[in-house]
Amino acid sequence: MSHFKKTVSIKKVLKSLLGKTKAEKYLKGIEIIFSNAFTSNAMDIYQYALVQLTEGDTEKAINCIVFTLDIDREHKLTLHLCRTMLYGLTQFMSENNIDSFKQKNKNDIDGGLNKLRKKTKELKKIIEGNEEDLEKLEKSLRFNKSPIFILFKKGKIKREIQEIKNILSSNNNEFEKVEGELKLVEEYLQKEEYMKVLGIVIEVCVFPTKFDPDLLKTNFS
Amino acid sequence: MSNDEKNKKIEALEKMFGTKDELKLSAEKNNKKQTSSNEAIKEEVKPEEKETTAEDFELKNEVILPTPKKSVESEIEDKDDVQENIKIEPSKNFPLEKIKENLKPEVKEVLKKLEGVVPKESVAKLINVMENNKNIIFDEKVTNVFNGLSSGEASLLGKKLAEWDVPKEASEINASVILAWLNKTKK
């Protein structure tokens, strides 16, 4: 049995599975920070990953995880961090009931997202129209002081103003609801991408021969 | 360490890994195999990508010593016997149970701030999910990350993930950071 254990580069696998453009944001930057002072070690990079996560810089944190595991495939803290990240994301998905949105849109998340975006645009336009109408009516009420107007039209205009205010309030509520759903779905899609990347990292660590069948021959030659 | 102790340690290492000559031969064998497969691989590198990358620090032959014996690696006196281009720094040898003490001051500060922000119950909840609801990551209603795995592979993956356990203190640190991150990335 060989005394050496060959490993598969997680970086290369990510590039090949996600495509170079998509993978790049998770793979560049960290090596520049740690390259000149290679007294850095896996522990340093792990700590840097922790800081990036607290600052909300997910791509850099994943970059650290990939970099560390490509150097030290058995760095326990980084492996545990990767696992915790995946479980945290899964918990988020579960608690936000993404499944109901998926079912509502027959699993077509992108289609569902486009519908929401279209609806927010439409509602925004309607609300703008409502606000313009309201302003016109309020202006006419403020500046028209003729007795005939006051006798015959003021009451009607006041009722119209109230009607428009009700419609506007209802449309604003609808807009907030749709916008909230849109933000959640966008967040979901982003987090789903992170999960995909972490899933690949974990699979490479657990099933390296899946990504390089030659590994099996080399490690057991 | 006395010379006797040193010699005993080297003997034990040689029993585990083989003698220096055996290691050298095995490494040369692997090198030859890797060189021939590397020749078949052509990687496109744009001029602007000629900066130092992680690959410069990976082993040219993607071969590493088994890491559980990393502390042992430092015992090997003659570094010429180690593969070319190995640039691994052995991880600092401190027990994971005392991780908090050994973190950098700036990281300690960040974690201290988190203590006031991330509720302990949430940390405990996430840790509990990892221990007692491990299969949630295979639940298709929640996520399809591992949909492509067979049931055997999923089972093996689950077992491997369980091996990535760390002491409670380290686990809580990771969980707090992840929860803070999830909050930060909320839209």
Side-chain angles (χ1 to χ4, degrees), chain A residues 177-205:
Chain A
K177 189 181 160 198
V178 173
E179 202 184 38
E181 203 178 342
L182 176 65
K183 280 184 179 169
L184 185 65
V185 175
E186 284 174 339
E187 193 184 338
Y188 159 77
L189 281 176
Q190 178 68 87
K191 286 183 157 73
E192 200 184 43
E193 187 178 296
Y194 295 148
M195 287 176 83
K196 189 177 178 181
V197 174
L198 293 168
I200 293 170
V201 172
I202 289 171
E203 276 195 58
V204 174
C205 292

Short mmCIF file of all heavy atoms in Angstrom, two decimals, chain A residues 177-205:
data_model
loop_
_atom_site.label_atom_id
_atom_site.label_comp_id
_atom_site.label_asym_id
_atom_site.label_seq_id
_atom_site.Cartn_x
_atom_site.Cartn_y
_atom_site.Cartn_z
N LYS A 177 -46.20 42.82 0.43
CA LYS A 177 -46.27 41.36 0.53
C LYS A 177 -45.49 40.71 -0.61
O LYS A 177 -44.66 39.80 -0.39
CB LYS A 177 -47.75 40.95 0.48
CG LYS A 177 -48.03 39.49 0.78
CD LYS A 177 -49.51 39.21 0.66
CE LYS A 177 -49.74 37.72 0.47
NZ LYS A 177 -51.07 37.43 -0.06
N VAL A 178 -45.72 41.19 -1.83
CA VAL A 178 -45.06 40.60 -3.00
C VAL A 178 -43.55 40.86 -2.95
O VAL A 178 -42.75 39.97 -3.24
CB VAL A 178 -45.67 41.16 -4.31
CG1 VAL A 178 -44.87 40.69 -5.52
CG2 VAL A 178 -47.13 40.73 -4.45
N GLU A 179 -43.22 42.08 -2.54
CA GLU A 179 -41.79 42.43 -2.46
C GLU A 179 -41.09 41.56 -1.42
O GLU A 179 -39.95 41.11 -1.63
CB GLU A 179 -41.63 43.90 -2.10
CG GLU A 179 -40.26 44.45 -2.52
CD GLU A 179 -40.05 45.89 -2.08
OE1 GLU A 179 -40.49 46.25 -0.98
OE2 GLU A 179 -39.42 46.62 -2.85
N GLY A 180 -41.76 41.32 -0.32
CA GLY A 180 -41.22 40.45 0.73
C GLY A 180 -40.99 39.05 0.21
O GLY A 180 -39.95 38.43 0.47
N GLU A 181 -41.96 38.54 -0.55
CA GLU A 181 -41.84 37.19 -1.10
C GLU A 181 -40.69 37.16 -2.12
O GLU A 181 -39.92 36.20 -2.15
CB GLU A 181 -43.16 36.80 -1.78
CG GLU A 181 -43.35 35.30 -1.88
CD GLU A 181 -44.69 34.91 -2.52
OE1 GLU A 181 -45.59 35.77 -2.58
OE2 GLU A 181 -44.79 33.76 -2.97
N LEU A 182 -40.58 38.21 -2.90
CA LEU A 182 -39.53 38.29 -3.92
C LEU A 182 -38.14 38.27 -3.26
O LEU A 182 -37.25 37.53 -3.69
CB LEU A 182 -39.68 39.57 -4.74
CG LEU A 182 -38.61 39.87 -5.79
CD1 LEU A 182 -38.61 38.83 -6.89
CD2 LEU A 182 -38.83 41.25 -6.41
N LYS A 183 -37.99 39.05 -2.19
CA LYS A 183 -36.69 39.10 -1.49
C LYS A 183 -36.35 37.73 -0.92
O LYS A 183 -35.20 37.30 -0.98
CB LYS A 183 -36.74 40.13 -0.35
CG LYS A 183 -36.56 41.55 -0.83
CD LYS A 183 -36.52 42.54 0.31
CE LYS A 183 -36.32 43.94 -0.25
NZ LYS A 183 -36.52 44.97 0.77
N LEU A 184 -37.36 37.07 -0.37
CA LEU A 184 -37.14 35.74 0.21
C LEU A 184 -36.69 34.75 -0.84
O LEU A 184 -35.76 33.96 -0.63
CB LEU A 184 -38.42 35.26 0.90
CG LEU A 184 -38.30 33.94 1.67
CD1 LEU A 184 -37.36 34.09 2.85
CD2 LEU A 184 -39.67 33.48 2.17
N VAL A 185 -37.36 34.79 -2.00
CA VAL A 185 -37.00 33.85 -3.07
C VAL A 185 -35.60 34.15 -3.62
O VAL A 185 -34.83 33.23 -3.89
CB VAL A 185 -38.04 33.87 -4.21
CG1 VAL A 185 -37.61 32.98 -5.37
CG2 VAL A 185 -39.39 33.41 -3.69
N GLU A 186 -35.28 35.44 -3.75
CA GLU A 186 -33.93 35.80 -4.22
C GLU A 186 -32.89 35.31 -3.22
O GLU A 186 -31.84 34.78 -3.61
CB GLU A 186 -33.81 37.32 -4.41
CG GLU A 186 -34.49 37.81 -5.68
CD GLU A 186 -34.52 39.32 -5.81
OE1 GLU A 186 -34.39 40.03 -4.78
OE2 GLU A 186 -34.69 39.80 -6.94
N GLU A 187 -33.21 35.48 -1.95
CA GLU A 187 -32.30 35.01 -0.90
C GLU A 187 -32.17 33.50 -0.97
O GLU A 187 -31.07 32.94 -0.85
CB GLU A 187 -32.86 35.42 0.46
CG GLU A 187 -31.88 35.29 1.60
CD GLU A 187 -32.49 35.61 2.95
OE1 GLU A 187 -33.52 36.32 2.99
OE2 GLU A 187 -31.95 35.12 3.95
N TYR A 188 -33.30 32.84 -1.19
CA TYR A 188 -33.31 31.38 -1.29
C TYR A 188 -32.41 30.92 -2.44
O TYR A 188 -31.61 30.00 -2.28
CB TYR A 188 -34.74 30.88 -1.49
CG TYR A 188 -34.80 29.49 -2.08
CD1 TYR A 188 -34.54 28.38 -1.30
CD2 TYR A 188 -35.08 29.29 -3.43
CE1 TYR A 188 -34.57 27.11 -1.85
CE2 TYR A 188 -35.10 28.02 -3.98
CZ TYR A 188 -34.85 26.94 -3.19
OH TYR A 188 -34.86 25.69 -3.73
N LEU A 189 -32.54 31.55 -3.59
CA LEU A 189 -31.74 31.15 -4.76
C LEU A 189 -30.25 31.34 -4.50
O LEU A 189 -29.43 30.50 -4.87
CB LEU A 189 -32.16 31.95 -6.00
CG LEU A 189 -33.44 31.48 -6.68
CD1 LEU A 189 -33.82 32.39 -7.82
CD2 LEU A 189 -33.31 30.05 -7.19
N GLN A 190 -29.93 32.44 -3.84
CA GLN A 190 -28.53 32.69 -3.53
C GLN A 190 -27.99 31.63 -2.58
O GLN A 190 -26.92 31.06 -2.79
CB GLN A 190 -28.41 34.09 -2.89
CG GLN A 190 -27.00 34.44 -2.47
CD GLN A 190 -26.08 34.62 -3.65
OE1 GLN A 190 -25.97 35.69 -4.23
NE2 GLN A 190 -25.37 33.56 -4.03
N LYS A 191 -28.80 31.33 -1.55
CA LYS A 191 -28.36 30.34 -0.57
C LYS A 191 -28.32 28.94 -1.17
O LYS A 191 -27.48 28.13 -0.81
CB LYS A 191 -29.27 30.38 0.66
CG LYS A 191 -29.00 31.63 1.52
CD LYS A 191 -29.82 31.67 2.77
CE LYS A 191 -29.18 32.55 3.83
NZ LYS A 191 -29.26 33.97 3.60
N GLU A 192 -29.20 28.70 -2.12
CA GLU A 192 -29.19 27.40 -2.80
C GLU A 192 -27.87 27.22 -3.55
O GLU A 192 -27.31 26.12 -3.60
CB GLU A 192 -30.37 27.29 -3.76
CG GLU A 192 -30.69 25.86 -4.11
CD GLU A 192 -31.80 25.73 -5.14
OE1 GLU A 192 -31.80 26.51 -6.12
OE2 GLU A 192 -32.64 24.85 -4.98
N GLU A 193 -27.40 28.29 -4.13
CA GLU A 193 -26.12 28.23 -4.84
C GLU A 193 -24.99 27.92 -3.86
O GLU A 193 -24.12 27.08 -4.13
CB GLU A 193 -25.83 29.55 -5.56
CG GLU A 193 -24.58 29.47 -6.44
CD GLU A 193 -24.32 30.76 -7.20
OE1 GLU A 193 -25.16 31.11 -8.04
OE2 GLU A 193 -23.27 31.40 -6.96
N TYR A 194 -25.02 28.58 -2.70
CA TYR A 194 -23.99 28.30 -1.69
C TYR A 194 -24.04 26.83 -1.27
O TYR A 194 -23.02 26.18 -1.09
CB TYR A 194 -24.17 29.17 -0.44
CG TYR A 194 -24.00 30.64 -0.66
CD1 TYR A 194 -24.72 31.57 0.10
CD2 TYR A 194 -23.11 31.15 -1.60
CE1 TYR A 194 -24.57 32.93 -0.09
CE2 TYR A 194 -22.96 32.51 -1.80
CZ TYR A 194 -23.70 33.40 -1.04
OH TYR A 194 -23.55 34.76 -1.23
N MET A 195 -25.27 26.31 -1.12
CA MET A 195 -25.42 24.91 -0.70
C MET A 195 -24.84 23.98 -1.76
O MET A 195 -24.21 22.97 -1.44
CB MET A 195 -26.89 24.57 -0.47
CG MET A 195 -27.45 25.19 0.79
SD MET A 195 -29.19 24.88 0.99
CE MET A 195 -29.17 23.27 1.72
N LYS A 196 -25.08 24.34 -3.00
CA LYS A 196 -24.57 23.51 -4.11
C LYS A 196 -23.04 23.45 -4.03
O LYS A 196 -22.44 22.38 -4.14
CB LYS A 196 -25.02 24.12 -5.43
CG LYS A 196 -24.75 23.26 -6.65
CD LYS A 196 -25.29 23.89 -7.91
CE LYS A 196 -24.97 23.01 -9.12
NZ LYS A 196 -25.45 23.60 -10.36
N VAL A 197 -22.43 24.61 -3.84
CA VAL A 197 -20.97 24.68 -3.78
C VAL A 197 -20.45 23.86 -2.59
O VAL A 197 -19.53 23.05 -2.73
CB VAL A 197 -20.50 26.15 -3.68
CG1 VAL A 197 -18.99 26.23 -3.47
CG2 VAL A 197 -20.89 26.92 -4.93
N LEU A 198 -21.07 24.06 -1.43
CA LEU A 198 -20.63 23.32 -0.24
C LEU A 198 -20.85 21.83 -0.42
O LEU A 198 -20.04 21.02 0.03
CB LEU A 198 -21.39 23.82 1.00
CG LEU A 198 -21.07 25.24 1.43
CD1 LEU A 198 -22.08 25.73 2.47
CD2 LEU A 198 -19.68 25.34 2.01
N GLY A 199 -21.94 21.48 -1.08
CA GLY A 199 -22.23 20.06 -1.35
C GLY A 199 -21.12 19.44 -2.20
O GLY A 199 -20.67 18.32 -1.93
N ILE A 200 -20.66 20.20 -3.20
CA ILE A 200 -19.57 19.69 -4.05
C ILE A 200 -18.30 19.53 -3.23
O ILE A 200 -17.59 18.53 -3.33
CB ILE A 200 -19.33 20.64 -5.25
CG1 ILE A 200 -20.53 20.62 -6.20
CG2 ILE A 200 -18.07 20.24 -6.01
CD1 ILE A 200 -20.50 21.68 -7.28
N VAL A 201 -18.00 20.53 -2.40
CA VAL A 201 -16.80 20.46 -1.54
C VAL A 201 -16.85 19.20 -0.69
O VAL A 201 -15.88 18.44 -0.61
CB VAL A 201 -16.69 21.71 -0.64
CG1 VAL A 201 -15.58 21.56 0.38
CG2 VAL A 201 -16.47 22.96 -1.48
N ILE A 202 -17.99 18.96 -0.08
CA ILE A 202 -18.15 17.79 0.80
C ILE A 202 -18.02 16.50 0.01
O ILE A 202 -17.33 15.56 0.44
CB ILE A 202 -19.49 17.86 1.56
CG1 ILE A 202 -19.43 18.97 2.62
CG2 ILE A 202 -19.83 16.53 2.21
CD1 ILE A 202 -20.75 19.28 3.29
N GLU A 203 -18.65 16.45 -1.15
CA GLU A 203 -18.57 15.23 -1.96
C GLU A 203 -17.14 14.94 -2.39
O GLU A 203 -16.71 13.78 -2.39
CB GLU A 203 -19.46 15.35 -3.20
CG GLU A 203 -20.92 14.99 -2.93
CD GLU A 203 -21.71 14.76 -4.19
OE1 GLU A 203 -21.32 13.87 -4.97
OE2 GLU A 203 -22.72 15.46 -4.39
N VAL A 204 -16.39 15.97 -2.74
CA VAL A 204 -14.99 15.75 -3.14
C VAL A 204 -14.19 15.20 -1.97
O VAL A 204 -13.34 14.33 -2.13
CB VAL A 204 -14.34 17.04 -3.68
CG1 VAL A 204 -12.86 16.84 -3.95
CG2 VAL A 204 -15.04 17.50 -4.95
N CYS A 205 -14.48 15.71 -0.78
CA CYS A 205 -13.76 15.23 0.41
C CYS A 205 -14.11 13.78 0.74
O CYS A 205 -13.26 13.00 1.15
CB CYS A 205 -14.08 16.10 1.63
SG CYS A 205 -13.42 17.77 1.51
#
